Amino acid sequence: MIGEPESGATPAVVVVKGACPHDCPDTCALDVHVRDGIAIKVAGSAEHAPTAGVLCTKVARYTERTYHPDRLLHPMRRIGKKGEGRFERISWEVALAAVATRLRAIAAQNPERILPYSYGGTLGLVQGESLSMRFFHKLGASLLDRTICASAGSAGHEITLGSRIGIDVELADEAKLIIFWGANAITSSVHFWARAQQAKRRGAILVAIDPYRSLTAEKCHTHIALLPGTDSALALGLMHVLIRDELIDRDYVQRHTLGFEGLRERAAAYDPVRVAAICGITAGEIESLARLYGTTRPALIRANYGMQRARGGGMGIRNVACLPALVGAFRDAAGGMFLSTGGNFSIDRCALERPDLLAGRTPRTVNMSTIGPALLNTDTPIDALIVYNSNPVAVAPDSTRVIQGFAREDLFTVVLEHFQTDTADYADILLPATTQLEHLDVVKPYGHYYMMANNPAIAPLGEAKPNTEIFRLLAAAMGFTEPCFSDSDEAIAQAAVAKDWDFDAVRRVGWKRVGLPTGVARFAAGGFDTPSGKVEFLSARAAQLGLDPLPDYIEPQEDTRSAAALRYPLAMISPPARNFLNSSFVNVQSLRASEGEPWLDIHPDDASKRGVIAGSYVRVFNDRGSVELRARVTDRARRGVVVGLSVWWKKLARDGKNANELTSSDTLTDMGRAPTFYDCLVQVEAL
């Protein structure tokens, strides 16, 4: 809430407690400095232990985003062709009537022809999926399978370890070995990186496993640059050496794991020579890392979701999750595996989303990762699309089909947004939404143990409204009379957390710690959230999914050793650019200036074969499409792999395209039904 005047400053300056809403594990506590109703500075709270007074370069410039000259401040109606981005200003009354009239007509035929599309534009529980889901449940609209980011990794983790509890980030600096597995923490978790740096100063060894020598990998002691999609094989190779050389904790394995003998037999087939050939690394790297991991305590694996963006991505996370149990790393409070802390929080989804409003109906479910094919499917058509907290034209895979779908003149599209994004250009009705500084929210983190509260620091700009208010107004326009559509944001915030939650008290402080006291090793004596209560090397749930019940290696769909590689010999990955967060912040001029333009990092040997000169433009292509990027010839990209840092807004790129011209929606992951962004073969030619 609004606090006392800042010490030593004019009394007109007050500090408001907030929380970063963006799709980042750190979920920082914000101190928003306000003078005369204007936010003049956003700082990290020094009192919040995980934030420790520090913000990333993006959120530190949040006022630039909120007061951006291109903010959408009024409802708009399309007057040009879809994709042209030509709109005229209309009133809220006209906008709401237009949306309600169209949705009412479609729902009268079949409400499942209406689809919501949303994801992590905000992680807020109030402004995310609360009144919006009540609205769609009452309507009987199709359900959305929200798979685009983390569902494969979450499924792999659940099969092996159960809920994603993670470790207390405040203890990470006590680790003696930290393995960043598919995790570029400098870009995606700067506060964890600060703890890792402190551990390094205390003598800890840092290892990066990543196809790309990222900013994080550059600062680690060791970097293992494996081929994309081969992480599960590397994990099996490490298991082979650990078991062969008797570097395992036999007592922990006996007491707290299930299926070790089967795992031993499986790992025996993945000797370092075989695994080295699969991963494109040396057998010596596997041997050395296994010995280091088997003899160092506390040992922590900081995994991230990059490794799960290939066909066998869920299995990749599953296999890596087996390693801490083999060596007993869970005995240490600063050891084990940290993918997410999201499972630490009990959220009352029924109170938030009110599935009872479905009244017994079971609408179809549409996978957001295949939105392009879904919009083009005439057998089960989608006639209306309501997009909020997402920018699918930029971020969804297989852009050609996504744009073809969004360009349908018969598709009624409503977009709630802060800016005129690539997706907004295809809207029929464009509704202005508030930013985090302008509304109330509760934010569940996935990188620490503190539930966060966000207080509105300033009044909404122009005619912008919170998502909750927009869906309240739409519900009224549709004639929905259920009392839940009148719930205030404060009431929703109170209902969000199922246990021991006084939102008014929490919002005064800004956060509340949830879970175990600091310093407790959660799984030292087992107690995993799996059917057996143990780490499941052998998983009945995996078998139910049609997968091998034991850890396995599933090769990429587009393997560099496959027949397809004769035409497209390079594997492409498109991890986040440091100054963007998915497609958020791309239009903030100071941040975009730091990135420059869309680049392709390519190894000198691969560049030489193609006549590519550093700084020149290249065409990157496959059967799905092509994109023009500027080449950086660098050994940060390993041989056989090119890297296009993303996700750029198409309209801000040189050729109006981004890396998703090349990614596929035809193949989903082995579990979790997620996209295979990093399972992508391409060719590169000089322009």
Side-chain angles (χ1 to χ4, degrees):
M1 301 180 77
I2 296 178
E4 295 300 317
E6 187 181 34
S7 176
T10 171
V13 175
V14 294
V15 178
V16 181
K17 293 293 184 182
C20 178
H22 290 283
D23 192 357
C24 166
D26 291 20
T27 314
C28 294
L30 307 180
D31 288 343
V32 184
H33 297 241
V34 180
R35 179 188 291 125
D36 295 331
I38 297 173
I40 58 175
K41 182 175 73 171
V42 176
S45 173
E47 291 77 27
H48 182 240
T51 303
V54 176
L55 294 180
C56 69
T57 57
K58 300 177 282 287
V59 178
R61 297 172 179 176
Y62 209 83
T63 56
E64 292 182 45
R65 190 171 190 274
T66 297
Y67 295 111
H68 196 291
D70 295 336
R71 267 291 299 275
L72 289 173
L73 299 177
H74 309 283
M76 310 286 279
R77 176 170 53 200
R78 177 171 64 92
I79 57 174
K81 293 181 180 179
K82 289 201 170 187
E84 287 184 347
R86 294 173 53 219
F87 295 89
E88 65 178 359
R89 178 177 170 179
I90 57 176
S91 68
W92 269 104
E93 291 75 15
V94 170
L96 293 166
V99 175
T101 298
R102 194 67 179 270
L103 295 186
R104 196 178 293 114
I106 296 170
Q109 284 189 310
N110 183 354
E112 292 184 26
R113 293 189 175 194
I114 300 168
L115 177 70
Y117 193 103
S118 65
Y119 198 68
T122 176
L123 297 187
L125 298 175
V126 179
Q127 305 302 333
E129 307 303 338
S130 63
L131 269 165
S132 59
M133 289 307 301
R134 298 179 190 187
F135 178 83
F136 293 115
H137 284 150
K138 172 63 178 176
L139 194 58
S142 288
L143 304 175
L144 185 71
D145 198 5
R146 292 175 171 85
T147 61
I148 202 165
C149 181
S151 60
S154 299
H157 190 286
E158 182 177 350
I159 282 171
T160 308
L161 300 179
S163 300
R164 293 165 294 154
I165 301 297
I167 71 154
D168 186 348
V169 69
E170 297 172 61
L171 303 176
D173 54 1
E174 298 178 10
K176 296 302 181 184
L177 170 65
I178 301 177
I179 299 175
F180 293 93
W181 203 318
N184 182 8
I186 290 177
T187 292
S188 62
S189 185
V190 66
H191 295 86
F192 184 91
W193 178 249
R195 301 277 179 173
Q197 287 291 91
Q198 180 63 23
K200 185 179 180 182
R201 287 189 286 271
R202 294 175 176 174
I205 297 173
L206 307 186
V207 177
I209 301 174
D210 197 314
Y212 179 57
R213 197 170 77 243
S214 66
L215 296 171
T216 300
E218 283 189 326
K219 292 176 171 58
C220 289
H221 297 93
T222 301
H223 173 215
I224 297 177
L226 77 177
L227 287 167
T230 63
D231 304 86
S232 55
L234 177 56
L236 284 163
L238 295 175
M239 295 180 210
H240 177 102
V241 177
L242 291 168
I243 296 169
R244 181 199 69 193
D245 293 354
E246 298 185 353
L247 296 173
I248 64 174
D249 184 331
R250 290 191 173 277
D251 178 69
Y252 196 91
V253 168
Q254 181 178 356
R255 291 174 180 269
H256 306 305
T257 72
L258 180 69
F260 173 70
E261 291 306 320
L263 179 69
R264 178 206 295 271
E265 183 177 348
R266 176 59 53 80
Y270 285 88
D271 62 88
V273 173
R274 179 189 177 192
V275 171
I278 293 171
C279 298
I281 57 179
T282 67
E285 289 175 293
I286 300 167
E287 297 273 5
S288 296
L289 180 58
R291 284 194 294 272
L292 179 65
Y293 186 63
T295 57
T296 308
R297 292 290 174 275
L300 173 61
I301 296 175
R302 177 58 171 110
N304 210 344
Y305 293 102
M307 77 169 83
Q308 52 113 63
R309 296 190 172 117
R311 180 172 66 167
M315 189 66 76
I317 292 286
R318 165 162 167 60
N319 291 6
V320 172
C322 294
L323 292 168
L326 275 179
V327 300
F330 287 117
R331 293 187 188 277
D332 303 310
M337 178 175 172
F338 178 15
L339 177 67
S340 167
T341 62
N344 193 58
F345 303 93
S346 180
I347 305 303
D348 194 339
R349 294 288 177 188
C350 289
L352 283 172
E353 301 176 9
R354 294 295 301 274
D356 58 293
L357 293 168
L358 285 168
R361 295 168 293 183
T362 307
R364 66 171 173 174
T365 298
V366 176
N367 190 333
M368 70 184 308
S369 298
T370 58
I371 187 61
L375 290 175
L376 297 174
N377 188 334
T378 57
D379 293 331
T380 54
I382 296 169
D383 293 338
L385 188 66
I386 294 84
V387 180
Y388 54 104
N389 300 335
S390 189
N391 182 12
V393 170
V395 305
D398 201 353
S399 280
T400 297
R401 287 196 280 182
V402 173
I403 289 174
Q404 287 173 352
F406 271 84
R408 284 173 39 206
E409 281 294 333
D410 64 326
L411 176 69
F412 181 64
T413 303
V414 180
V415 177
L416 286 61
E417 254 298 355
H418 305 137
F419 302 103
Q420 196 170 318
T421 62
D422 292 335
T423 302
D425 284 344
Y426 290 85
D428 293 286
I429 299 292
L430 194 50
L431 302 177
T434 48
T435 68
Q436 191 74 347
L437 302 190
E438 302 161 84
H439 57 230
L440 181 141
D441 218 331
V442 175
V443 186
K444 184 190 84 167
Y446 61 97
H448 58 68
Y449 285 176
Y450 296 80
M451 187 68 82
M452 308 296 293
N454 183 77
N455 295 286
I458 59 174
L461 301 187
E463 294 184 275
K465 298 182 184 297
N467 286 351
T468 45
E469 181 62 15
I470 293 173
F471 282 104
R472 282 189 198 98
L473 293 171
L474 285 173
M478 293 290 290
F480 299 163
T481 59
E482 285 77 4
C484 68
F485 291 110
S486 299
D487 285 353
S488 67
D489 286 5
E490 289 80 2
I492 296 170
Q494 177 59 42
V497 181
K499 298 178 182 177
D500 188 23
W501 177 252
D502 181 346
F503 177 68
D504 283 340
V506 174
R507 68 186 297 198
R508 286 193 289 271
V509 177
W511 57 83
K512 178 180 179 179
R513 185 179 168 95
V514 177
L516 294 175
T518 300
V520 174
R522 170 69 173 80
F523 301 113
F528 293 89
D529 182 20
T530 59
S532 66
K534 300 180 178 183
V535 176
E536 296 199 351
F537 300 146
L538 180 71
S539 169
R541 283 191 289 184
Q544 291 168 1
L545 292 172
L547 300 170
D548 194 313
L550 288 165
D552 197 6
Y553 168 59
I554 300 172
E555 66 184 18
Q557 176 71 18
E558 300 188 10
D559 198 312
T560 53
R561 289 160 290 248
S562 67
L566 296 175
R567 296 178 63 203
Y568 303 117
L570 299 171
M572 189 192 79
I573 60 174
S574 46
R578 181 176 187 177
N579 291 288
F580 305 155
L581 203 161
N582 299 320
S583 73
S584 297
F585 298 97
V586 180
N587 65 320
V588 176
Q589 178 58 39
S590 61
L591 296 170
R592 193 166 73 256
S594 297
E595 291 297 327
E597 61 181 306
W599 292 87
L600 184 80
D601 285 2
I602 183 170
H603 190 274
D605 290 351
D606 294 323
S608 177
K609 291 177 184 177
R610 294 161 177 81
V612 172
I613 300 170
S616 66
Y617 288 99
V618 296
R619 176 175 174 256
V620 191
F621 63 97
N622 58 22
D623 288 340
R624 291 179 287 271
S626 68
V627 60
E628 295 178 10
L629 303 172
R630 197 168 188 180
R632 282 192 295 218
V633 179
T634 171
D635 62 2
R636 292 180 67 182
R638 59 154 291 159
R639 290 180 186 87
V641 177
V642 292
V643 182
L645 300 177
S646 247
V647 179
W648 281 80
W649 287 16
K650 295 171 182 290
K651 67 169 69 179
L652 298 178
R654 175 174 179 263
D655 62 345
K657 299 179 180 179
N658 68 19
N660 281 319
E661 306 293 325
L662 308 170
T663 55
S664 173
S665 61
D666 289 330
T667 300
L668 298 176
T669 53
D670 53 340
M671 56 187 88
R673 306 167 306 284
T676 54
F677 286 114
Y678 299 173
D679 196 330
C680 178
L681 290 181
V682 301
Q683 179 58 288
V684 174
E685 65 181 13
L687 288 177

